[in-house]
Amino acid sequence: MFARGADQALTPVHIASVMRETAAIAAKLLGRGITLDIEASPDLPAILGDSSQLHQVMMNLCVNARDAMPGGGQLRLVASLVSLTAADARAVGPDAVAGEFLTVSVRDTGTGIAPEIRDRLFDPFFTTKPRETATGLGLATVLRIMRRHRGFIGFETEVGDGTCFTCYFPVLPDSERIG
C-alpha cells in the first residue's frame, strides 16, 4: 500500500457489516483462549470508505490485540457515534479535530503498552515483535488509512490492563447518508 500509492474510490460503507466480516476472519486467528465480542448497531450512519482498507485497519488492530494477550483474554470491537469538542479532540491526539464521528474501538485485556514506546507506535518499521514475525508496518498502515479516510486514531493503554485503539471516521452529512 505504501509503495503502490493507488487507492480505490471512497464510497458509502456501513461499518457494522465490515466489523462482522472482519470478526469472522479474526475469530479463526485468535486462538481458543481469546473471546471476541462485537457491538455495532445496524442503524449507525454510513461513512465514506474503502471496504478493503477498513477491513485491513480492523484486522491489523485485532492481530496486535491477539499478540498482546498470549495467555488469552477478551477482545471487543465496538462501533458508536461520538461528538468531539475541540478540547476532546486535543485529548485524542495531534490529528484529531472536533466534529461528529463514527468510532470503531478495538479493546483488549492484554499486556498494555509500555510508556517508553508509545510515541513510536505509528512509526513505519517500528515493532516490539521478533523481526521474523513482524514488519512494523501494521500501525503505520492503520494511520495512513485513517488519514486517507479523513479520520484519525487514538489509544488508551495501561500496562498490565490492556489497550483500546479507537478509530474516528467523519460521519456523512444527512444529505449524503444512505439507508
Side-chain angles (χ1 to χ4, degrees):
M1 184 177 74
F2 280 102
R4 183 170 13 114
D7 290 313
Q8 298 297 316
L10 300 181
T11 59
V13 174
H14 284 287
I15 206 74
S17 298
V18 175
M19 288 174 68
R20 284 190 300 274
E21 292 164 3
T22 302
I25 297 166
K28 297 174 185 171
L29 301 173
L30 295 179
R32 293 181 189 184
I34 298 175
T35 60
L36 174 61
D37 296 314
I38 302 170
E39 184 180 322
S41 173
D43 62 348
L44 290 170
I47 61 167
L48 277 182
D50 175 332
S51 289
S52 66
Q53 287 186 344
L54 297 173
H55 280 104
Q56 187 171 9
V57 164
M58 288 182 230
M59 188 59 71
N60 284 357
L61 294 174
C62 286
V63 167
N64 283 352
R66 175 202 65 194
D67 294 347
M69 297 185 288
Q74 184 177 21
L75 177 59
R76 292 193 72 223
L77 278 67
V78 178
S80 60
L81 285 174
V82 300
S83 291
L84 295 181
T85 64
D88 295 334
R90 282 190 297 278
V92 171
D95 288 351
V97 296
E100 185 181 356
F101 299 91
L102 188 147
T103 64
V104 175
S105 296
V106 179
R107 180 179 300 276
D108 67 60
T109 57
T111 57
I113 301 168
E116 62 271 13
I117 65 170
R118 292 176 188 168
D119 289 341
R120 300 187 58 207
L121 288 180
F122 297 99
D123 291 353
F125 307 110
F126 175 76
T127 184
T128 59
K129 300 173 189 174
R131 287 285 174 190
E132 304 81 46
T133 62
T135 62
L137 290 175
L139 287 176
T141 299
V142 167
L143 181 61
R144 181 193 180 281
I145 291 170
M146 291 307 302
R147 287 176 174 164
R148 176 166 185 263
H149 286 77
R150 293 183 173 81
F152 47 92
I153 185 168
F155 68 94
E156 299 171 357
T157 187
E158 187 68 41
V159 174
D161 201 29
T163 300
C164 181
F165 282 92
T166 301
C167 301
Y168 295 79
F169 298 95
V171 172
L172 289 174
D174 287 337
S175 61
E176 296 179 39
R177 291 189 184 180
I178 59 174

